[in-house]
Amino acid sequence: MKVVQIVRKPNGLGFSLEQVFEDIRKELPADIDVETYVNPYFSRGIWPRFAGMIRVMWHQGNVNHITGDVHFMSIFLSRRKTILTIHDCATLERLSGWKYWMFRFFWYWLPAKRAAAITVISESAKRELLKHLGKGNWPIIIIPDFVSPEFKFSRKSFDSTCPVILQVGTTENKNIERVAVALRGLCCKLVIIGKLTSKQYVALEENEIFFENHYGISRKSVIDHYRKCDLVMFASLYEGFGLPILEGQAIGRPVITSNCYSMPEVGGEGAYYVDPYDEESIRNAVNSIFESKSLVEKLVEAGLKNVRQYKISVIAAKYAELYRYIHRVDEKASK
């Protein structure tokens, strides 16, 4: 069976989406032959997207799997053979009026109509997607993300003099500006992975945050930053999943994350939860961890326990089962 995984053209600013399915490909059983098709165009503007939709038609397999962020590429593919993975509805949450309805139609509703199965990465993501898709018998399956085996436990004594806080991601939902306000006056260093916007940079400067920014760095460098940090900050306003939560737990670091959407579902008992809209809530969490060695140990222990359920072998087996099912149904319908 030939499976074509259709992926976005990497922009050099992110890691998780491409890496997730690269890791899964290595774990799939031998009877599943996976070919990767990388969209040759960046997902910007009407014509590059339309050209991507046309070109992918000549690269179909027994099963086509759009792995995320380029949902529109399902529109001209064989519906019976196509799986669409939707990681979140973050953009829809920010839009309103005609922009919302246009984006909803072309990026979610129509691509979903052109898929035999839709996978989402959490129960929270499923609820959000159904809210936007509306009524219908949508074939939605939950297959969570996993933590890569590269993220191994690395013991580190908590540096109480000037702790290093790691922030992974700089998109609008990552809440950098409120984190900056929350950390004002605290003795710490904030390490940010992802390209900062001018607005975020100003917020960090105005709040006199000691920080460093890295983007376009290697996978190894990202993991090294996890190892070197004392605390992982992930107080997002919205997440379909929240992979840095698991990555921080796997490395053995206390994690601060938000009490909404998928984050409590993913973090389990191994994270300190905050109201991401309340700078004081974030600040109190940071201070509590800074001041309590026992709390650090408790969060690390619970995090290591939580992350066990997200092993790559378990998740790869779920995708393999879905690929075989879609192929069987398509073959039966073709006879």
Side-chain angles (χ1 to χ4, degrees), residues 26-296:
K26 297 173 185 175
E27 293 290 323
L28 290 171
D31 67 302
I32 298 177
D33 178 23
V34 182
E35 176 183 304
T36 304
Y37 176 79
V38 180
N39 182 18
Y41 310 102
F42 286 117
S43 180
R44 297 168 188 160
I46 295 174
W47 292 114
R49 287 169 175 153
F50 184 75
M53 290 159 55
I54 296 297
R55 287 193 62 168
V56 75
M57 292 170 62
W58 282 270
H59 297 274
Q60 300 190 61
N62 301 118
V63 175
N64 308 311
H65 182 189
I66 299 169
T67 60
D69 199 40
V70 284
H71 309 161
F72 55 87
M73 294 184 78
S74 73
I75 292 173
F76 296 143
L77 296 178
S78 171
R79 182 185 178 277
R80 291 200 312 259
K81 299 179 179 181
T82 300
I83 299 167
L84 173 63
T85 292
I86 297 178
H87 293 268
D88 59 50
C89 301
T91 304
L92 285 178
E93 294 292 311
R94 295 194 295 266
L95 297 176
S96 60
W98 68 269
K99 290 183 179 180
Y100 167 85
W101 291 105
M102 184 176 70
F103 196 79
R104 172 189 175 272
F105 181 77
F106 286 107
W107 206 272
Y108 289 89
W109 191 89
L110 186 56
K113 279 288 186 182
R114 296 294 305 159
I118 304 163
T119 72
V120 294
I121 51 181
S122 66
E123 183 63 45
S124 172
K126 179 179 179 179
R127 288 195 300 268
E128 288 301 301
L129 181 59
L130 286 172
K131 180 181 76 175
H132 293 293
L133 288 180
K135 293 180 180 179
N137 187 25
W138 301 100
I140 300 176
I141 301 163
I142 299 172
I143 302 181
D145 282 340
F146 62 90
V147 61
S148 170
E150 294 175 279
F151 289 84
K152 295 181 174 65
F153 177 71
S154 177
R155 191 176 301 279
K156 182 183 183 299
S157 297
F158 194 90
D159 183 359
S160 57
T161 57
C162 185
V164 176
I165 301 176
L166 179 63
Q167 165 71 46
V168 179
T170 56
T171 51
E172 188 177 345
N173 59 304
K174 302 306 182 190
N175 210 19
I176 301 291
E177 292 94 332
R178 287 189 181 88
V179 169
V181 173
L183 296 180
R184 182 180 178 88
L186 298 182
C187 183
C188 61
K189 181 170 80 169
L190 181 63
V191 176
I192 304 167
I193 297 178
K195 190 173 184 179
L196 290 167
T197 65
S198 55
K199 183 180 178 182
Q200 291 168 339
Y201 193 91
V202 168
L204 292 162
E205 291 287 317
E206 287 182 345
N207 287 285
E208 301 177 337
I209 305 301
F210 175 36
F211 75 96
E212 58 183 56
N213 182 216
H214 304 275
Y215 60 93
I217 60 177
S218 68
R219 175 78 163 172
K220 181 179 182 299
S221 295
V222 173
I223 296 171
D224 285 342
H225 281 299
Y226 272 102
R227 291 193 182 110
K228 292 173 183 175
C229 79
D230 296 286
L231 167 66
V232 173
M233 173 65 71
F234 201 66
S236 294
L237 301 175
Y238 176 94
E239 291 292 333
F241 191 76
L243 198 54
I245 298 170
L246 297 182
E247 291 169 346
Q249 290 178 341
I251 292 288
R253 301 296 176 264
V255 176
I256 292 175
T257 192
S258 303
N259 60 4
C260 55
Y261 293 101
S262 63
M263 289 164 277
E265 179 184 345
V266 173
E269 296 181 2
Y272 196 121
Y273 296 100
V274 300
D275 178 352
Y277 292 95
D278 183 354
E279 293 93 344
E280 195 62 30
S281 175
I282 300 171
R283 186 180 181 87
N284 288 340
V286 173
N287 276 324
S288 295
I289 291 174
F290 281 8
E291 296 168 2
S292 176
K293 182 179 179 181
S294 62
L295 177 58
V296 170

